Amino acid sequence: MVISDLPLTTSDLHTTKGGRRNSTLICAPIMAESVDEMLVQMRKANEAGADIVEIRLDYLKNFIPRQDLEILIKRSPLPAIVTYRPVWEGGQYDGNESKRQDALHLASEIGADYIDIELKVAHEFYNSIQLKKPGKAKIIVSSHNYQNTPSVEEIAELVARIQATGADIVKIATTALDITDSARMFQVLVHSHVPMIGLVMGEKGLISRILSPKFGGFLTFGSLEPGVVSAPGQPTIKELLDLYNFREIASDTKVHGVIGNPVSHSKSPHLYNAAFKSVGFDGIYLPLLVDSVEDFLTTYSSPDFVGYSYTTPHKEAGLNCSDEVDPIAKIIGAINCMIKRPTDGKLIGYNFDYIGAIAAIEEGLRALNRTANISGSPLAGKLLVVMGAGGAGKSLAYGGKEKGARVVVANRTLAKAKELASKVGGKAITLAELENFHPEDGMVLVNTTSVGMKPRCHATPIPKKALKHYSLVFDAIYSPKETRLLREAQESGVAVVYGTEMLINQGFEQFEKFTGLPAPKQLMRDVLARNT
């Protein structure tokens, strides 16, 4: 059976300007305690752009089968999957099994488009359905693994077992312990000869949900609201459509993303997906929660996985995994961008952090000193204090040295500060020493640590009283845009430069590496302003 054999046709689907490039459905889980609330949610799903709804009967309080199903199925504005998930398969229903299956039979008779039944009881369900009045419903036979993601061979064997029940559609949901787990699901999905829903749950499995159309998935789930999900890791319908341009993902779409840990705070997907769409570039950009850079790159080595941004803590690991490294990135000892060269598949590492950050700091100093038209860098001769000695710290220290600044590196561990300071001809101190460090006034302070990043917004790497000795403070953190450090600097009468300026400046460079096209600079600035 192929997808075109199923009752839902493309004429039934939501379309967008320019049409859609895939037939993968967006399914909205409907989870409410009353029929009236479910009807409201269905209307919201339809308005949001879902193609299909999943009616989760196990969430209903005081469920009256015939009465409630008549209303829910016949008044649904979209095709419906009826699911009555038991506790033993991760659902809410903890009652009599025969009554549960009777309700699903009844849903089929009333006119449900799809019925979801668990593999564990599929044979029993199919045997009993022969004795009842058949409906038009197609049967989804599902298996949920909340512990891990098995091997490719084990998933393929599970597909065969589900097919053997007579299923119209195979559904397998596993759990991601690592981002590489999704690759095994993709491998089975792309070779499936029957319609298949293959999803990997959890934040590390997010790419399985978004890239479902690329590998031929029958549907993916999109929630109505953030956090109100039927399984861990579900994006919202709005995110699928507006952030990830889900309708435009095809089998040949090029995959990009930001490699980090944590990574959910990143605004880069907003920036690049909007920019890709605006210039008609067939690419997608994802948040990639990676534990091991080497494992990720080895696993996703296919030609369509082509470009990455690197953020904390993987900038140095990214350099070590590059086949070739740009000379500046080699000097800095970290990358923030990696491109797969199309001619030979080699991974090339670059560092644009220093360009983005130094340009933003120089602009801030020129505005402060009202020297916009004077040649030369306003950093020349300044004492530049860099907090942090990781990838971003190296970039800023190197960039400052190149512009003629005197560099001081402050780090939690002195040994790491000394290592970086020696490379840029600077001085090393600990973060704890910064409180009383003021050899002169008018210094420039740069934070490249994660102190103050969401969710620890209350934290700051330096006491407020120490800020009065600086003329300008820059914080590489951009989530939140106004960190406690920047807020306290302003309160102390010090000029500030936001991390978003570094992000946007280096973003222009990365976009051009990813696409080979000029960056739509104003659009990218507008997108970032809306999302920070």
Side-chain angles (χ1 to χ4, degrees):
M1 181 181 290
V2 295
I3 288 176
S4 58
D5 293 329
L6 293 163
L8 211 58
T9 66
T10 51
S11 62
D12 298 315
L13 306 178
H14 280 276
T15 56
T16 56
K17 287 180 182 175
R20 54 191 290 165
R21 299 183 64 215
N22 64 70
S23 60
T24 302
L25 310 178
I26 295 177
C27 180
I30 303 300
M31 304 172 297
E33 294 185 352
S34 74
V35 170
D36 286 343
E37 287 177 277
M38 282 194 165
L39 291 172
V40 170
Q41 288 185 6
M42 287 177 184
R43 286 193 292 274
K44 286 182 178 177
N46 188 35
E47 290 163 4
D51 301 301
I52 187 170
V53 293
E54 181 185 38
I55 301 170
R56 287 292 299 265
L57 299 179
D58 47 307
Y59 279 83
L60 283 173
K61 303 291 185 189
N62 308 311
F63 174 47
I64 306 169
R66 182 167 290 279
Q67 174 185 303
D68 293 350
L69 286 168
E70 285 276 357
I71 295 169
L72 290 167
I73 292 168
K74 292 185 175 174
R75 290 176 59 183
S76 174
L78 293 169
I81 302 169
V82 176
T83 300
Y84 203 179
R85 190 75 72 219
V87 172
W88 47 262
E89 190 82 7
Q92 305 289 311
Y93 180 76
D94 195 18
N96 179 274
E97 177 62 19
S98 63
K99 286 184 179 179
R100 184 180 78 91
Q101 292 192 31
D102 283 345
L104 293 173
H105 288 308
L106 186 56
S108 178
E109 288 174 24
I110 289 170
D113 300 278
Y114 302 91
I115 302 294
D116 181 307
I117 189 72
E118 300 74 25
L119 174 61
K120 185 175 176 181
V121 294
H123 282 294
E124 177 188 334
F125 182 78
Y126 268 105
N127 289 338
S128 62
I129 208 171
Q130 307 302 325
L131 307 174
K132 300 179 186 292
K133 181 182 174 184
K136 67 168 186 173
K138 296 292 181 180
I139 307 300
I140 301 170
V141 175
S142 59
S143 169
H144 300 78
N145 179 334
Y146 293 97
Q147 281 72 51
N148 56 31
T149 298
S151 67
V152 169
E153 292 75 20
E154 287 171 305
I155 299 172
E157 185 182 322
L158 191 55
V159 171
R161 281 177 56 205
I162 292 175
Q163 281 184 256
T165 66
D168 296 302
I169 301 162
V170 171
K171 180 188 176 187
I172 297 175
T174 63
T175 296
L177 303 181
D178 190 90
I179 194 168
T180 57
D181 292 348
S182 291
R184 301 199 287 281
M185 189 64 78
F186 291 148
Q187 197 171 336
V188 175
L189 195 58
V190 79
H191 291 109
S192 179
H193 297 298
V194 295
M196 179 176 169
I197 304 162
L199 302 169
V200 184
M201 298 180 283
E203 186 183 355
K204 291 178 182 177
L206 178 65
I207 65 171
S208 73
R209 298 179 180 279
I210 298 168
L211 294 181
S212 183
K214 182 172 175 64
F215 297 97
F218 179 69
L219 65 73
T220 197
F221 291 91
S223 66
L224 289 171
E225 297 172 36
V228 184
V229 299
S230 59
Q234 281 174 4
T236 64
I237 299 168
K238 182 175 175 57
E239 286 169 339
L240 287 170
L241 292 174
D242 298 344
L243 173 54
Y244 297 113
N245 304 319
F246 186 82
R247 304 292 191 208
E248 295 167 38
I249 300 171
S251 60
D252 55 351
T253 296
K254 302 300 184 191
V255 180
H256 311 73
V258 53
I259 291 175
N261 192 346
V263 79
S264 61
H265 66 281
S266 176
K267 303 301 179 187
S268 295
H270 293 272
L271 201 61
Y272 293 106
N273 285 317
F276 288 168
K277 186 174 183 177
S278 76
V279 300
F281 178 72
D282 185 14
I284 186 167
Y285 188 101
L286 304 165
L288 302 169
L289 181 59
V290 169
D291 292 319
S292 164
V293 172
E294 185 178 2
D295 288 351
F296 174 84
L297 294 172
T298 302
T299 302
Y300 295 101
S301 58
S302 73
D304 280 354
F305 284 73
V306 295
Y308 308 106
S309 309
Y310 278 79
T311 188
T312 306
H314 292 319
K315 295 185 177 190
E316 291 156 315
L319 181 139
N320 294 332
C321 290
S322 298
D323 296 310
E324 295 177 18
V325 180
D326 179 76
I328 293 171
K330 192 173 285 186
I331 292 168
I332 293 169
I335 66 168
N336 80 322
C337 179
M338 176 184 278
I339 305 296
K340 182 177 289 180
R341 193 161 55 202
T343 52
D344 57 9
K346 298 282 189 188
L347 299 171
I348 318 300
Y350 300 90
N351 193 310
F352 302 122
D353 275 341
Y354 83 100
I355 295 174
I358 294 297
I361 292 167
E362 287 180 323
E363 195 175 320
L365 286 172
R366 287 192 182 103
L368 184 65
N369 301 328
R370 297 177 182 172
T371 56
N373 297 319
I374 295 177
S375 61
S377 173
L379 269 170
K382 284 276 188 184
L383 192 63
L384 178 71
V385 179
V386 178
M387 293 188 286
K394 289 176 179 177
S395 299
L396 269 294
Y398 170 82
K401 173 181 177 286
E402 287 295 294
K403 296 294 184 176
R406 295 168 291 136
V407 179
V408 174
V409 180
N411 195 58
R412 188 169 51 84
T413 54
L414 185 59
K416 225 179 164 188
K418 283 182 175 177
E419 184 185 347
L420 175 55
S422 67
K423 291 178 180 176
V424 295
K427 178 179 178 178
I429 60 174
T430 65
L431 280 173
E433 291 177 80
L434 267 187
E435 182 175 352
N436 299 308
F437 180 78
H438 45 87
E440 61 189 69
D441 287 329
M443 300 181 290
V444 175
L445 180 66
V446 168
N447 177 39
T448 70
T449 75
S450 60
V451 179
M453 182 188 289
K454 283 182 182 177
R456 294 176 57 240
C457 304
H458 62 281
T460 183
I462 184 172
K464 183 178 180 179
K465 66 180 182 180
L467 295 174
K468 62 188 176 187
H469 302 292
Y470 296 89
S471 61
L472 183 141
V473 174
F474 166 78
D475 198 335
I477 292 169
Y478 60 84
S479 185
K481 180 179 179 179
E482 185 173 84
T483 58
R484 178 180 167 188
L485 171 64
L486 294 182
R487 187 173 66 252
E488 291 183 346
Q490 286 177 311
E491 290 167 358
S492 304
V494 178
V496 302
V497 175
Y498 295 102
T500 48
E501 286 303 305
M502 170 180 167
L503 179 67
I504 198 72
N505 286 336
Q506 61 83 36
F508 298 151
E509 304 285 338
Q510 291 205 50
F511 178 89
E512 292 177 10
K513 285 292 180 189
F514 290 152
T515 66
L517 300 168
K521 292 185 178 181
Q522 192 54 52
L523 176 132
M524 291 174 75
R525 284 192 178 280
D526 292 345
V527 168
L528 192 59
R530 285 198 303 271
N531 289 284
T532 52

